[in-house]
Amino acid sequence: NKCLERILNKELAISFKIAPEKNKPSLINIEYRNNETACLKVFKLQNQLQGNYIESFAKMNLKSVYDHSFKFQKDERFLPHELDFITEKNKEYGKYLFIIAENKRLLDSLLKSPSIYIENNFAFYLVQVSDLDVLTTKRMEGIEFLVRDKNSGQPLSNVSVTVFNDKNPTVLKTSKEGK
């Protein structure tokens, strides 16, 4: 029965309530069901990633910057739960990969696997830590970008924005209004 299978499945998800910024902690929300443990690892990407499409973590040059293990109360009712967690401050700008898995063994195997689509019961989030804030708006004529200084809120002109569409990058420059 698909309904019973869905209820009994182990689930993990990760999202940000406060996105990572330089020299500030971030607030992560972890959603889980039917898990008693989880392991979170944060890595800084040491090489350029082409787009945000990830096939395998093994192909990435990762530097471990943070890890934490969680122990959850056992729930016999199969209900979903969530937990907010504050991470350490990010010390540098760059791309960071947040991975959460049921346990350290699974997380370590994910890092060596030729494909992330082989395993279940993990989640990941790729985030860029920078002083830029990019807002996107969908318009009738396409997508509009507004690039601002994250600290002042001022629009930034002549900034290159790379848009990945089906893995084909297109580089756009912002106007004096930051669009």
Side-chain angles (χ1 to χ4, degrees), residues 45-52 59-61 94-95 128 162 164:
L45 275 68
Q46 302 295 53
N47 57 336
Q48 188 65 24
L49 183 66
Q50 294 301 312
N52 287 328
K59 298 175 184 175
M60 303 167 79
N61 184 2
K95 278 196 177 180
Q128 177 79 38
T162 305
F164 292 89

Side-chain angles (χ1 to χ4, degrees), residues 61-74:
N61 184 2
L62 302 172
K63 175 185 170 191
S64 180
V65 294
Y66 182 76
D67 62 75
H68 188 83
S69 294
F70 299 92
K71 189 155 180 66
F72 307 127
Q73 286 189 325
K74 187 171 178 132

Side-chain angles (χ1 to χ4, degrees), residues 57-121:
F57 300 131
K59 298 175 184 175
M60 303 167 79
N61 184 2
L62 302 172
K63 175 185 170 191
S64 180
V65 294
Y66 182 76
D67 62 75
H68 188 83
S69 294
F70 299 92
K71 189 155 180 66
F72 307 127
Q73 286 189 325
K74 187 171 178 132
D75 182 1
E76 302 290 337
R77 299 169 298 157
F78 311 107
L79 295 173
H81 300 277
E82 61 180 87
L83 171 76
D84 289 341
F85 179 74
I86 299 174
T87 66
E88 292 181 356
K89 296 176 183 179
N90 290 307
K91 297 177 178 68
E92 300 175 25
Y93 293 119
K95 278 196 177 180
Y96 288 84
L97 177 65
F98 289 71
I99 307 174
I100 190 164
E102 179 180 7
N103 55 50
K104 186 178 180 331
R105 181 201 53 75
L106 174 59
L107 203 148
D108 289 343
S109 74
L110 278 166
L111 295 172
K112 297 172 188 159
S113 176
S115 173
I116 63 172
Y117 302 104
I118 295 171
E119 298 288 350
N120 291 318
N121 205 25

Side-chain angles (χ1 to χ4, degrees), residues 6 17 19 54-55 69 74-75 93 95 98 111 113 128 135 140 147 150 158 161 168 173 176:
R6 169 87 170 121
K17 287 190 172 179
I54 297 174
E55 173 69 30
S69 294
K74 187 171 178 132
D75 182 1
Y93 293 119
K95 278 196 177 180
F98 289 71
L111 295 172
S113 176
Q128 177 79 38
L135 302 173
M140 293 285 281
V147 181
K150 192 178 276 186
N158 206 30
V161 176
N168 296 322
K173 291 270 191 188
K176 64 182 179 178

Side-chain angles (χ1 to χ4, degrees), residues 13 15 35 43 79 89 116 137 143 173:
S15 62
N35 280 294
F43 299 92
L79 295 173
K89 296 176 183 179
I116 63 172
T137 306
I143 297 174
K173 291 270 191 188

